Amino acid sequence: MTFHFTGIIIAVSTFLIIGLFHPLVIKMEYHTGTRHWWVLLLLGIATIMTALVIENVMASSILGVIGASLLWSIGELFAQKKRVEKGWFPMNPKRKDEYQKGK
């Protein structure tokens, strides 16, 4: 019997990548706000385009997940700002004028 670990490796990689992006978005919003959302966009597009030209299934899949996570993080970055405004996460006191309390 032969075992094929490609699917398991991709699944674990996906889990770890998503787990990594959660605190990344929180830190990014805290330190820079939402003004650098375009960096996530460019990196996401570049990563997905790279995934399209790589023949190795595992590498292409992992790059695709990273690209999708980068693009998904754009929405999460703006959602994180709203969570900060609601008081669910700490506000960076250096940027408190960028938040609208009560909305």
Side-chain angles (χ1 to χ4, degrees):
M1 179 172 9
T2 305
F3 290 104
H4 302 279
F5 292 99
T6 304
I8 301 284
I9 293 169
I10 292 170
V12 170
S13 298
T14 300
F15 179 75
L16 293 173
I17 290 164
I18 292 170
L20 173 71
F21 273 88
H22 177 68
L24 181 79
V25 166
I26 292 169
K27 293 287 184 190
M28 184 175 182
E29 195 286 323
Y30 183 84
H31 291 289
T32 66
T34 58
R35 67 177 169 256
H36 295 302
W37 67 269
W38 57 271
V39 173
L40 296 171
L41 177 67
L42 294 177
L43 288 173
I45 291 170
T47 307
I48 289 172
M49 296 300 288
T50 304
L52 288 172
V53 298
I54 290 181
E55 289 185 34
N56 183 286
V57 173
M58 193 173 325
S60 179
S61 298
I62 292 171
L63 283 173
V65 170
I66 292 170
S69 295
L70 284 161
L71 295 178
W72 185 268
S73 293
I74 296 168
E76 283 302 311
L77 189 63
F78 287 95
Q80 178 64 18
K81 181 180 179 185
K82 291 179 183 176
R83 291 189 285 267
V84 170
E85 289 172 346
K86 291 178 182 177
W88 297 353
F89 284 85
M91 179 185 302
N92 185 339
K94 295 177 184 176
R95 296 180 19 266
K96 64 182 171 184
D97 57 320
E98 295 177 28
Y99 298 100
Q100 300 173 1
K101 280 287 191 182
K103 287 192 178 183

